[in-house]
Amino acid sequence: QVGRLSWLAAIVLCRAFMRAFALLLLALLQSPCSCAGVRGARKRARRDAEEIAAAAAAGESLDPLGYYRYSWRPPADECGTEMHADYDGTRAWNWGLDPSQHVATAAECCAKCRAHVKCNSWVFCPEEVCFAPDAHKHTRGECWMKDQRDPASPSVNMRGAYTSKYRARPGHHHAPPMVHWVSGTVRLKRAATNGTWSGRAVW
């Protein structure tokens, strides 16, 4: 008799648990917030998968967070020039926003860096306005002379093409298709590499 009662009690508890679980699931499915969250997560996952596939098909790489699509090759000139790239630095040897520091070409920016005894990295703005996720308006001719701990492995803020994931971030919807900036390094003591991502890469 005791065993039968225990068995019946187990059935009652099991049914109560299943009923409670069903009610909870129904509430979650009927919740607009929950449904929107699920749809949003699926949309983001599909977007990221498409970006990865497109990068692979083009022979390109993605940064760890999926913000930039790029294809890096060793620099072919003495300026270490990389198009569509913005390099960081441990310090700047000039204030690139100052119009008196502006130059006409990336080659001139490189030459200014080479002429400065402590400069080993340069960044140039070749567009009317160069996009950057900061508070400044960056304009054509800006030439930043910087210091890298190791110019053979530059610290990179932005590189290549901005992904849809990048543009989906708050304040980044107006990012252009490609990074506007041109960067390079000089005074290398070993072969150039594609560097590392800076903390500003996630701004």
Side-chain angles (χ1 to χ4, degrees):
Q1 186 69 22
V2 173
R4 179 178 177 81
L5 289 175
S6 298
W7 182 71
L8 290 173
I11 292 176
V12 171
L13 287 173
C14 183
R15 288 178 175 173
F17 173 79
M18 292 177 65
R19 178 176 174 78
F21 180 77
L23 290 173
L24 176 62
L25 183 61
L26 182 61
L28 289 173
L29 291 175
Q30 291 178 341
S31 169
C33 182
S34 174
C35 289
V38 171
R39 286 195 298 269
R42 288 176 178 171
K43 183 178 180 180
R44 289 190 295 271
R46 185 165 54 250
R47 175 201 65 199
D48 293 349
E50 291 172 353
E51 200 80 58
I52 292 171
E60 297 174 330
S61 299
L62 282 172
D63 69 291
L65 292 178
Y67 292 154
Y68 312 98
R69 277 177 54 183
Y70 63 95
S71 179
W72 183 85
R73 292 177 179 80
D77 63 5
E78 62 181 7
C79 290
T81 304
E82 181 178 358
M83 305 297 292
H84 306 296
D86 172 33
Y87 290 176
D88 202 16
T90 56
R91 70 183 71 187
W93 298 114
N94 72 326
W95 186 243
L97 289 166
D98 182 355
S100 69
Q101 299 291 316
H102 288 192
V103 296
T105 66
E108 289 182 41
C109 187
C110 170
K112 283 189 66 173
C113 180
R114 292 171 69 88
H116 191 292
V117 66
K118 293 185 177 181
C119 178
N120 61 16
S121 179
W122 55 272
V123 181
F124 175 71
C125 171
E127 304 288 340
E128 287 300 319
V129 176
C130 287
F131 171 80
D134 60 25
H136 302 293
K137 182 180 180 180
H138 299 279
T139 56
R140 185 188 299 277
E142 283 187 24
C143 174
W144 294 83
M145 298 189 295
K146 301 183 179 184
D147 174 67
Q148 296 271 353
R149 289 189 176 88
D150 179 3
S153 180
S155 181
V156 180
N157 295 328
M158 303 179 288
R159 167 182 276 159
Y162 299 104
T163 64
S164 53
K165 182 177 182 179
Y166 183 90
R167 290 192 189 83
R169 301 175 64 205
H172 291 63
H173 61 280
H174 59 295
M178 303 286 291
V179 173
H180 282 147
W181 302 85
V182 182
S183 297
T185 52
V186 298
R187 297 187 170 91
L188 279 65
K189 296 180 179 179
R190 62 188 181 94
T193 70
N194 65 350
T196 59
W197 292 102
S198 74
R200 294 182 65 188
V202 300
W203 281 18

